[in-house]
Amino acid sequence: MSIKVEKINYEQVSQILSSEESHFLDLKSIDIKPAKLTRSISAFANASGGEVYIGIDETEIDGKNQRTWRGFADQEDANAHLQVFQELFPLGQYYSYTFLSCDGYIGLVLQVEINKNREIVKALDKPIPYLRLGAQNLPQDTEKKLARLRLDKGIDSFETSTVKADIEVITNSLPILNFMLRVIPSAEPEQWLKKQQLIINGKPTVAGVLLFSEEPQALLPKS
């Protein structure tokens, strides 16, 4: 696959080398293992998007970090890295990449632009999603973190999340019993509530509690 090669000038190289890693920027050596690189790709896709430059070395000299440009010898040398992007985004959506070159500098630096993804993107070395926060890729490895991520990305909503309560708070309450008298055809409360997705995995949803519990304020999580 041929990828566009852009020639940049010395000032632009200097700007890249002096950039601070941030919520929107990551700099990597070509020595990074492709699967580990997917942590950054996952983190940006699950946050607000960002850029990764692959081909920038960082070494510590006299207590200070110094960066140097050391890109891929040619496009084929980057194939292993490019393949992981195809695994994360099979249809080529949500990202683009360009090779950067500059006279007097070694090799091609791969610039990857990642857009915010509407789905949750998992890394490949550890099959969990990451989230970019500042200059860190934070693993989303607990149910609480995953639930927050689903809400942030609009996959789930507060109303469809479940409440830690017995389903009887909405299957045997006065509001549901009165409501079921008007349902045609007639049905049992639990059966009807499950059909309406107001009971999920044996737990009432927030919407179900708001609509049919007798004391919703006592059951809903306080924030």
Side-chain angles (χ1 to χ4, degrees):
M1 168 172 53
S2 179
I3 299 171
K4 185 178 181 181
V5 178
E6 292 275 2
K7 182 170 283 190
I8 62 176
N9 58 39
Y10 294 115
E11 288 75 16
Q12 291 169 316
V13 170
S14 178
Q15 182 179 341
I16 293 171
L17 295 177
S18 61
S19 296
E20 291 292 329
E21 293 184 322
S22 68
H23 190 68
F24 301 100
L25 178 68
D26 209 353
L27 304 172
K28 298 296 184 184
S29 165
I30 61 173
D31 298 325
I32 185 171
K33 293 181 179 180
K36 187 175 181 180
L37 176 63
T38 62
R39 297 184 190 183
S40 292
I41 307 300
S42 165
F44 283 125
N46 291 327
S48 305
E51 289 182 301
V52 181
Y53 290 88
I54 307 162
I56 307 298
D57 287 340
E58 185 171 275
T59 55
E60 186 175 316
I61 301 176
D62 297 329
K64 294 183 179 179
N65 290 330
Q66 294 191 8
R67 296 200 184 107
T68 54
W69 178 291
R70 182 173 64 93
F72 296 96
D74 52 39
Q75 291 197 26
E76 286 70 26
D77 271 3
N79 280 345
H81 295 76
L82 295 173
Q83 286 171 5
V84 301
F85 306 146
Q86 294 292 338
E87 290 188 52
L88 288 179
F89 307 118
L91 300 179
Q93 294 180 317
Y94 304 115
Y95 74 96
S96 62
Y97 32 61
T98 306
F99 283 110
L100 305 177
S101 70
C102 182
D103 292 337
Y105 286 85
I106 299 172
L108 303 172
V109 164
L110 180 60
Q111 177 193 28
V112 185
E113 296 183 73
I114 305 106
N115 297 324
K116 183 175 182 178
N117 197 319
R118 287 176 291 182
E119 305 297 328
I120 292 178
V121 177
K122 296 181 179 180
L124 297 181
D125 65 332
K126 292 185 178 181
I128 58 173
Y130 285 78
L131 184 66
R132 191 74 173 180
L133 185 63
Q136 294 180 295
N137 301 326
L138 302 179
Q140 304 300 291
D141 52 2
T142 67
E143 278 302 318
K144 184 176 181 180
K145 291 177 181 178
L146 288 171
R148 179 76 260 174
L149 183 58
R150 286 193 291 267
L151 288 173
D152 289 344
K153 294 175 80 68
I155 296 171
D156 291 343
S157 67
F158 179 63
E159 289 78 11
T160 59
S161 59
T162 57
V163 176
K164 291 182 179 179
D166 194 287
I167 61 172
E168 286 191 358
V169 299
I170 61 173
T171 61
N172 194 32
S173 64
L174 286 176
I176 190 63
L177 295 176
N178 289 331
F179 180 82
M180 294 306 296
L181 294 174
R182 302 190 297 273
V183 171
I184 299 173
S186 60
E188 292 297 318
E190 183 174 341
Q191 177 188 7
W192 186 85
L193 289 165
K194 286 180 177 178
K195 185 177 180 180
Q196 302 302 318
Q197 296 292 297
L198 296 175
I199 295 176
I200 298 176
N201 296 327
K203 294 293 181 183
T205 65
V206 169
V209 167
L210 286 171
L211 290 169
F212 296 117
S213 70
E214 295 177 10
E215 296 184 327
Q217 69 278 5
L219 298 171
L220 296 179
K222 310 296 189 296
S223 59

